[in-house]
């Protein structure tokens, strides 16, 4: 059941009353308020009454249309059909409007590059396919509000991702993200040019602020989703008694994330890789939980936070990351995994998916990001054709 809608502030909606009903697919509105605003006004003892009546009736009909549009918009959000019916083009939506749904899957690109490489494209596409009823947001530092990339042939992966109905790509504006969090004072004092690991540190900070403000799930851009994560508040164990920060999820304004932001500032050391990332998550979890080793595929839980088994995201540990780029016989099923972390940070030699190689990574692309895979094949064919033309 939905209730009468009234505007509480600009851009926000609240619900009250009991005259309006909605059965989940079709809506039947019996709203006394809406009947009132379209009812013909009765103007007595007033000159030019008929003209004024028509004017007021026109105004009231316009107001009614606005209310109905708002109601339809709210229905689209609450019914999970947000992506099949958008009142406005998604390109016109602001990040806050999408994030306010509270169920976003968030990716970050804190370097200046504008063309997402195939693994980033695969990560975003696989999430969009796995979580079709949730917004998938890629924040890019190199993107600005005035950057026009959607139709540029030079940015094919950008165009590919933009065309997916539940994928949104926004500029990453850190100062705005850090507002009203403990991270703002740190950000105003730090000098990025003097930071050894700024790309990673700024990403560590941004993901905390976004999840605290809006809730949802954060994923690294080298994580391929294979099935939905059933948990709302969770951390991912990279190994026993050690948490990663490459994927985690919490509802908005969760105390654990706030405490992580405070500790981020209190014990900041940008010279130690991971000090503000997985080491931060681990020391904060250990402060409230007695961590023990995992046995089998069970998960742990503490203070309503699920500490998920390494098999959920890290069935191939980082020392063995090259196995993703090898041929398996037989291929693994990953039945106990929700997503797979491909350890791109370890991939210094830039191993890539090669069409026809039959590696595990290629099989994952084919299964979970087929559009990215087809684009990869076409680009490889184009490069081969160009080389042959030059040789001729």
């Amino acid at each position: 059941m939905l209730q009468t809608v009234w505007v509480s502030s600009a851009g926000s909606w609240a619900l009250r009353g009991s005259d309006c009903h909605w059965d989940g697919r079709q809506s039947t509105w019996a709203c006394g308020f809406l009947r009132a605003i379209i009812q013909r006004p009765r103007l007595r003892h007033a000159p030019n009454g008929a003209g004024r009546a028509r004017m007021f009736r026109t105004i009231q009909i316009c107001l009614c249309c606005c209310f109905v549009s708002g109601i339809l918009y709210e229905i689209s959000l609450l019914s999970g059909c947000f992506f099949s019916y958008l009142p406005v083009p998604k390109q016109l939506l602001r990040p806050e409007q999408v994030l306010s749904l509270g169920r976003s899957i968030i990716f970050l690109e804190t370097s200046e590059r504008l063309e997402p490489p195939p693994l980033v494209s695969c990560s975003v596409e696989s999430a969009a396919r796995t979580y079709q009823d949730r917004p998938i947001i890629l924040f890019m530092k190199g993107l600005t509000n005035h950057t026009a990339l959607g139709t540029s042939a030079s940015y094919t992966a950008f165009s590919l991702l933009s065309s997916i109905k539940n994928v949104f790509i926004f500029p990453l504006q850190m100062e705005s993200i850090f507002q009203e969090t403990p991270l703002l004072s740190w950000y105003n004092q730090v000098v990025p040019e003097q930071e050894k690991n700024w790309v990673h540190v700024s990403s560590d900070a941004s993901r905390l602020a976004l999840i605290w403000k809006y809730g949802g799930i954060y994923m690294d851009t080298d994580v391929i989703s294979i099935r939905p994560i059933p948990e709302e508040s969770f951390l991912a164990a990279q190994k026993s008694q050690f948490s990663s920060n490459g994927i985690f999820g919490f509802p908005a304004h969760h105390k654990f994330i706030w405490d992580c932001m405070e500790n981020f500032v209190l014990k900041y050391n940008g010279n130690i890789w991971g000090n503000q990332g997985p080491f931060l998550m681990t020391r904060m979890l250990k402060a409230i939980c007695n961590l023990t080793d995992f046995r089998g595929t069970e998960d742990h839980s503490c203070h309503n936070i699920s500490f998920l088994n390494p098999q959920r995201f890290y069935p191939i540990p980082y020392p063995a990351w090259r196995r993703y780029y090898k041929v398996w016989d037989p291929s693994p099923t990953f039945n106990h995994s929700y997503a797979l972390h491909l350890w791109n940070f370890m991939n210094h030699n830039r191993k890539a998916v090669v069409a026809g190689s039959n590696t595990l990574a290629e099989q994952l692309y084919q299964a979970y990001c087929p559009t990215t895979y087809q684009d990869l094949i076409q680009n490889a064919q184009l490069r081969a054709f160009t080389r042959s033309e030059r040789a001729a």
Side-chain angles (χ1 to χ4, degrees):
M1 177 183 292
L2 287 182
Q3 300 172 312
T4 307
V5 177
W6 59 284
V7 178
S8 60
S9 63
S12 62
W13 294 89
L15 302 171
R16 71 178 183 186
S18 58
D19 295 330
C20 304
H21 305 278
W22 178 57
D23 63 6
R25 293 185 179 179
Q26 295 179 341
S27 54
T28 309
W29 301 95
C31 307
F33 179 71
L34 291 181
R35 286 200 304 268
I37 67 171
I38 62 174
Q39 186 179 20
R40 188 177 184 86
R42 300 177 181 177
L43 299 179
R44 298 180 180 179
H45 311 296
N48 302 321
R52 290 188 179 183
R54 285 193 296 271
M55 179 183 69
F56 280 111
R57 181 174 174 79
T58 300
I59 293 173
Q60 290 167 339
I61 289 174
C62 291
L63 289 173
C64 181
C65 291
C66 291
F67 275 103
V68 171
S69 297
I71 290 167
L72 291 174
Y73 179 73
E74 194 70 14
I75 290 174
S76 72
L77 299 184
L78 296 176
S79 65
C81 62
F82 178 69
F83 307 112
S84 59
Y85 171 71
L86 278 174
V88 295
K90 72 174 187 177
Q91 292 82 359
L92 300 181
L93 292 172
R94 300 189 306 275
E96 296 80 7
Q97 292 173 304
V98 182
L99 286 163
S100 64
L101 297 176
R103 303 177 68 248
S104 300
I105 312 295
I106 297 173
F107 294 89
L108 295 173
E109 176 56 76
T110 51
S111 72
E112 296 290 343
R113 66 184 177 190
L114 288 173
E115 173 67 349
L119 182 52
V120 175
S121 179
C122 184
S123 297
V124 176
E125 182 189 345
S126 66
R129 291 176 178 273
T130 302
Y131 304 92
Q132 296 185 25
D133 62 337
R134 303 175 70 161
I136 314 300
I137 305 177
L138 172 60
F139 285 98
M140 301 183 70
K141 185 175 182 295
L143 190 64
T144 70
N145 290 325
H146 306 290
T147 307
L149 297 175
T151 59
S152 174
S154 301
Y155 298 99
T156 55
F158 187 98
S159 300
L160 181 156
L161 295 176
S162 298
S163 66
I164 302 175
K165 65 180 181 180
N166 61 330
V167 172
F168 299 81
I169 304 178
F170 294 123
L172 177 61
Q173 299 172 335
M174 293 185 192
E175 185 172 0
S176 175
I177 290 173
F178 296 146
Q179 293 293 328
E180 301 177 359
T181 77
L183 297 168
L184 183 61
S185 60
W186 160 80
Y187 181 74
N188 288 334
Q189 296 175 9
V190 72
V191 181
E193 294 78 13
Q194 298 178 4
E195 291 292 321
K196 179 181 177 181
N197 299 299
W198 178 246
V199 169
H200 302 287
V201 168
S202 60
S203 177
D204 293 335
S206 298
R207 67 189 72 175
L208 289 172
L210 285 165
I211 294 299
W212 183 80
K213 280 188 169 183
Y214 302 105
I217 295 175
Y218 167 81
M219 293 185 184
D220 277 351
T221 53
D222 55 352
V223 171
I224 297 179
S225 298
I226 60 178
R227 55 179 58 91
I229 302 168
E231 306 289 344
E232 183 180 22
S233 301
F234 72 90
L235 293 171
Q238 184 173 315
K239 59 182 180 179
S240 286
Q241 303 186 40
F242 188 82
S243 176
S244 81
N245 75 329
I247 179 167
F248 61 92
F250 285 90
H253 300 157
H254 196 284
K255 184 179 185 300
F256 180 80
I257 298 299
W258 181 268
D259 292 343
C260 284
M261 291 190 292
E262 289 188 327
N263 191 272
F264 182 106
V265 177
L266 181 65
K267 296 191 175 182
Y268 180 74
N269 187 339
N271 293 322
I272 302 176
W273 188 92
N275 187 62
Q276 290 7 95
F279 292 106
L280 166 66
M281 291 295 202
T282 301
R283 63 178 176 262
M284 296 305 296
L285 188 60
K286 285 184 175 180
I288 61 174
C289 300
N290 180 25
L291 301 184
T292 59
D293 290 342
F294 288 96
R295 295 179 180 178
T297 58
E298 90 283 4
D299 299 318
H300 292 172
S301 180
C302 173
H303 289 273
N304 294 322
I305 299 174
S306 296
F307 191 38
L308 301 185
N309 193 287
Q311 289 294 316
R312 306 296 180 226
F313 307 105
Y314 304 102
I316 297 178
Y318 77 89
W321 68 270
R322 292 177 179 83
R323 298 186 68 188
Y324 280 113
Y325 299 94
K326 294 184 180 297
V327 177
W328 288 56
D329 186 21
S331 297
T333 59
F334 299 115
N335 289 333
H336 301 293
S337 301
Y338 303 133
L340 303 172
H341 194 289
L342 268 63
W343 304 107
N344 193 54
F345 178 72
M346 306 294 295
N347 190 1
H348 302 298
N349 295 327
R350 294 292 177 258
K351 289 183 178 294
V353 171
V354 178
S357 62
N358 199 34
T359 61
L360 176 57
E362 183 188 17
Q363 293 177 9
L364 294 174
Y365 275 47
Q366 290 173 314
Y368 302 108
C369 55
T371 305
T372 296
Y373 181 69
Q374 288 300 319
D375 183 67
L376 186 149
I377 291 176
Q378 292 172 4
N379 288 339
Q381 292 173 341
L382 179 61
R383 286 193 296 269
F385 175 78
T386 302
R387 285 196 298 268
S388 65
E389 285 291 303
R390 289 176 179 173

